[in-house]
Structures are given as structure tokens and as C-alpha cells.
Amino acid sequence: MSSILLEAKNVYEDFEVETDILFFKVGDHDLVIFHGRNYNIKKRMSAEQLNRLLSNSSYYHVNGGCYVNLNKISSIEDDCIYFGEMGLYAKQVRVPRRKQESIRHLLRGRLNA
């Protein structure tokens, strides 16, 4: 039981932004909400940390304060970006049509690189 608690604690404190996070949303007062495969983590960040996060090339601004991890997108359909398998409980983010083409172009460029 203690190893399960330790493992859960590590996910919340020691997550890797590029590999563990599907998307994040920047809120008021430098509060960032990170969305992983099966968890959400709220964390306050300094201006320096936030600037570094926003300049990370793995993330793309889709709307408002929402940024998606380009490396974790599984599909773009019906005005939504999906992460992992599609279905009732799939993690998804709504994306304006004009942003969808930009994201598709970026993803094609990553595949060809």
C-alpha cells in the first residue's frame, strides 16, 4: 500500500511536462492546470517558469489559455484534438478549424523530420 501512495505522490510532484502532460491551461494568478492521461494537477508557477513552459516547442496554443502537447495528439476529428484512444472517456480539447490545419501541418513536419 505504501508503494502505491509513493507512486501517486511522485506523479503529482515529479511529472515531466514533455512526456507526461497531454495539455495544460493557464489560469489567473499564474495558476497552471496540467492534464495527464488520468489526472489533473494544479500548480502555481513563477513568471520565469511560465515563460519557459510557453516557449516549449512541444506545445501549441489552441485557444484562450490552452496549450496542447503536439507529441501526444492521436487524432484531430470533429473540431477536437484527441489524446490516446477515442471514446466516451477520451481526453480531448476543442480546437477552432483555423488552428486544426496549423496543427496538422506541424505534425506532418515532425513526421518528416
Side-chain angles (χ1 to χ4, degrees), residues 3-87:
S3 64
I4 293 171
L5 293 175
L6 183 60
E7 186 176 313
K9 180 181 175 196
N10 289 342
V11 167
Y12 289 101
E13 292 180 3
D14 301 326
F15 60 89
E16 289 290 326
V17 172
E18 287 190 36
T19 58
D20 297 336
I21 302 303
L22 304 176
F23 62 97
F24 67 88
K25 296 179 181 178
V26 179
D28 294 334
H29 310 294
D30 299 327
L31 180 67
V32 179
I33 304 167
F34 295 98
H35 296 263
R37 195 169 61 89
N38 56 1
Y39 58 86
N40 301 330
I41 300 170
K42 293 180 182 179
K43 184 175 180 180
R44 291 212 182 281
M45 301 187 86
S46 69
E48 181 183 320
Q49 289 173 314
L50 189 55
N51 286 335
R52 200 170 354 157
L53 181 62
L54 297 179
S55 66
N56 186 323
S57 64
S58 294
Y59 287 92
Y60 184 81
H61 180 249
V62 291
N63 58 37
C66 185
Y67 296 78
V68 296
N69 187 338
L70 295 171
N71 300 320
K72 297 292 184 175
I73 295 172
S74 59
S75 65
I76 303 172
E77 295 181 33
D78 303 322
D79 296 335
C80 286
I81 288 177
Y82 290 89
F83 304 93
E85 303 222 1
M86 291 178 56

Side-chain angles (χ1 to χ4, degrees), residues 82-112:
Y82 290 89
F83 304 93
E85 303 222 1
M86 291 178 56
L88 185 60
Y89 300 108
K91 287 271 186 160
Q92 63 186 29
V93 173
R94 292 194 82 45
V95 179
R97 285 192 192 272
R98 59 181 165 60
K99 296 275 186 165
Q100 290 177 32
E101 284 309 310
S102 297
I103 292 169
R104 284 187 177 101
H105 179 74
L106 287 169
L107 293 176
R108 280 191 299 269
R110 287 172 175 247
L111 289 174
N112 296 332

